[in-house]
């Protein structure tokens, strides 16, 4: 893996005693930092890393650190992690795994290791055979220092609650699975979810889930480092409602043709949302980009 495009802040780096080109003392140590973007792919430039090598999980965790909140601040930060082929397909044969890679899965695991909760749509749970997030020894110390549990909770967004509550996601999670639904959800399905051990969170006045209410509801439970893994319908709703803060997008060097979904679906927004590039990594032709909203 190589770093192609880091983002630095000369003022912040100088204030912290680092140089403008210090790749370890600026953005990586303190989370996301707004500032001057500098393209560097030459190892001779300070902070550049042109060697194609496997990064440690600690290095990946530093590169993908959540922004540090201000004093007394508990603002939630929602990032999405998605993969897309060169021709825009978010899936192949209905699943994302065929267009992924070992490096993509390392990033996937790192993002989960940093998150309080993983937000996912019900259809993705069904298609991908979702399992509970597991505790990983590599992140145990950092999570304890951050006041997090051993593993992130999984929060399933479902209007109908037509879920298989016999899945391991509900029967054997290390952290109880959350189910986000609307106030008009069928009472018998709410009861079934609760009987299975899930915690039901009402995040909408009707049958569906209001993304703004969902984010607020998770924050009220103490979950402020939020990660969504889609699918496309859920991501489209999050984009349209304006609650998405960051997109971590893996661009897979594959062409699939066909009519697969893009990473975000649903109605288009009135004005396209503008995001800025924070960092860009590369391994074996896969690009690992990180964008945040401006």
């Amino acid at each position: 893996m190589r770093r192609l495009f880091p983002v630095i802040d000369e003022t912040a780096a100088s204030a912290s005693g680092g140089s403008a080109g210090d790749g370890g003392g600026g953005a990586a140590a303190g989370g996301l930092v707004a500032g001057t973007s500098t393209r560097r792919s030459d190892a001779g430039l300070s902070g550049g890393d042109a060697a194609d090598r496997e990064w440690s999980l600690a290095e990946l965790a530093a590169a993908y650190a959540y922004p540090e909140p201000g004093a007394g601040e508990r603002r939630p930060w929602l990032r999405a992690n998605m993969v897309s082929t060169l021709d825009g397909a978010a899936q192949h044969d209905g699943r994302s795994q065929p267009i992924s890679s070992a490096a993509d899965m390392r990033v996937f695991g790192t993002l989960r290791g940093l998150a309080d909760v993983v937000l996912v749509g019900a259809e993705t749970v069904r298609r991908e055979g979702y399992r509970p997030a597991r505790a990983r020894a590599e992140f145990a110390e950092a999570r304890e220092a951050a006041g997090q549990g051993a593993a992130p909770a999984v929060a399933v967004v479902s209007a109908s609650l037509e879920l298989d509550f016999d899945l391991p996601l509900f029967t054997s999670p290390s952290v109880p699975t959350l189910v986000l639904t609307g106030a008009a959800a069928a009472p018998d399905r709410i009861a079934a979810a609760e009987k299975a051990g899930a915690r039901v969170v009402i995040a909408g006045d009707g049958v569906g889930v209001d993304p703004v209410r969902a984010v607020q509801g998770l924050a009220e439970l103490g979950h402020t480092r939020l990660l969504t893994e889609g699918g496309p319908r859920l991501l489209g709703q999050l984009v349209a409602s304006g609650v998405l803060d960051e997109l971590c997008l893996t661009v897979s060097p594959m062409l699939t043709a066909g009519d697969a979904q893009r990473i975000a679906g649903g109605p288009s927004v009135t004005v396209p949302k503008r995001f800025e590039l924070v960092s860009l990594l590369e391994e074996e032709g896969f690009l690992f980009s990180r964008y945040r909203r401006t």
Side-chain angles (χ1 to χ4, degrees), residues 20-177:
D22 185 356
L32 294 180
V33 182
T36 305
S37 61
T38 306
R39 182 177 299 276
R40 298 179 298 190
S41 59
D42 184 343
L45 295 178
S46 176
D49 190 350
D52 197 354
R53 59 181 178 81
E54 183 172 316
W55 282 27
S56 70
L57 291 180
E59 288 175 299
L60 285 174
Y64 284 95
Y66 278 85
E68 291 293 331
E73 189 179 38
R74 292 284 294 171
R75 180 190 182 281
W77 184 272
L78 175 60
R79 65 166 39 140
N81 182 32
M82 302 292 285
V83 59
S84 171
T85 63
L86 295 175
D87 51 350
Q91 306 162 341
H92 186 64
D93 288 337
R95 300 176 63 239
S96 59
Q97 188 277 332
I99 61 174
S100 182
S101 68
D104 185 42
M105 295 310 297
R106 290 201 305 275
V107 172
F108 175 92
T110 299
L111 295 182
R112 280 196 165 197
L114 295 171
D116 295 334
V117 66
V118 179
L119 188 65
V120 62
E123 183 61 23
T124 297
V125 167
R126 289 187 283 263
R127 283 179 176 268
E128 303 276 356
Y130 253 61
R131 301 184 65 85
R134 59 187 178 90
R136 297 180 62 181
E138 301 94 327
F139 295 101
E141 185 176 346
R143 291 186 67 86
E144 183 177 3
Q148 296 174 296
V154 174
V156 183
V157 176
S158 177
S160 68
L161 298 185
E162 290 299 326
L163 299 162
D164 182 356
F165 294 117
D166 291 327
L167 290 174
L169 181 61
F170 300 101
T171 61
S172 58
S174 59
V175 182
T177 294

